[in-house]
Amino acid sequence: DILDPDTLSYQVTGLTNGLEYEFEVEGLVNCPNPDPSGFPSNLVTATPLQGVIVTATPSACQTQLSWTEPTTVGDAIDHYIVSHEAVGAPDWTVDSGFVAGLTFNVTGLAAETDYEFRVQVIYTSGTPGAVVGTVLATTTKSGDIDVSGTVTYNDDRPLFLAANGSSQGDANYNPDADLDCDGRVTPADYRLWYKAWIADGRQRSEP
């Protein structure tokens, strides 16, 4: 491509992830006559990031994301930016501008809603990289702890009681029982579950 002489950066598109490319910049002399030989720059070798696999585990108000580490050559990855948008919404919401690991829990979501999540890399130089992975997920129905489609006394209440008193990271923590999305399963969540059960037509077979 031939660019304006004041241009000092350029984005090359249409590349294939995982293939190695060489790039060179050449200045064309125009004084007094154009010289096509110009002044070549040094050669730069780079490999576009391999796309990562992003998985999503949704509950009613949060979605746990995890992804594989991208393969990169050159500048190392320092951290990730995680964002989401409701499908069809005009804008993305940045959930965290600094994720050091390969997992992140997106909270504050609406129940029974389709979302798209994306993961972007930031290099150690501070340079933003590409969005390396996206995933679609639908949050579950609030109070539907066994994800059956309805809020039931016999199925969901025992699951809530099994998780009651737990916090994120505990073996018995259940994100579907954490209805207020605060990382703990408490009586406040039970009150929300009870309201959801009533609102769902009291789907139960015992009082």
Side-chain angles (χ1 to χ4, degrees):
D1 295 323
I2 299 177
L3 308 176
D4 185 275
D6 295 327
T7 300
L8 298 178
S9 65
Y10 182 71
Q11 181 171 335
V12 180
T13 60
L15 306 181
T16 301
N17 286 335
L19 294 183
E20 185 174 87
Y21 294 87
E22 284 189 344
F23 302 92
E24 182 182 70
V25 178
E26 185 175 1
L28 300 180
V29 178
N30 193 27
C31 165
N33 298 309
D35 180 357
S37 62
F39 299 101
S41 71
N42 60 307
L43 284 175
V44 176
T45 302
T47 303
L49 286 168
Q50 290 275 23
V52 307
I53 299 173
V54 184
T55 58
T57 306
S59 60
C61 61
Q62 56 190 328
T63 295
Q64 179 71 36
L65 302 176
S66 61
W67 55 92
T68 55
E69 187 171 4
T71 301
T72 181
V73 176
D75 199 355
I77 294 172
D78 183 72
H79 62 275
Y80 302 89
I81 295 175
V82 174
S83 307
H84 80 272
E85 70 166 355
V87 173
D91 299 313
W92 286 83
T93 298
V94 175
D95 300 290
S96 177
F98 192 100
V99 179
L102 299 175
T103 61
F104 186 75
N105 192 40
V106 179
T107 60
L109 305 178
E112 300 180 275
T113 302
D114 297 327
Y115 288 97
E116 183 174 7
F117 304 89
R118 69 184 184 190
V119 178
Q120 179 184 4
V121 300
I122 301 295
Y123 296 107
T124 52
S125 63
T127 303
V131 172
V132 293
T134 62
V135 67
L136 293 169
T138 302
T139 49
T140 60
K141 187 173 189 172
S142 182
D144 182 18
I145 302 175
D146 68 347
V147 198
S148 65
T150 56
V151 183
T152 60
Y153 187 92
N154 290 332
D155 295 329
D156 293 314
R157 187 172 179 274
L159 292 176
F160 177 87
L161 295 177
N164 190 33
S166 65
S167 298
Q168 209 164 24
D170 293 345
N172 63 327
Y173 174 76
N174 186 338
D176 290 295
D178 183 9
L179 274 69
D180 60 6
C181 238
D182 66 351
R184 301 176 301 150
V185 180
T186 67
D189 295 301
Y190 185 82
R191 288 190 288 272
L192 292 173
W193 174 84
Y194 188 84
K195 289 179 180 179
W197 172 55
I198 296 297
D200 204 35
R202 298 176 69 137
Q203 302 281 338
R204 59 188 175 93
S205 61
E206 64 181 67

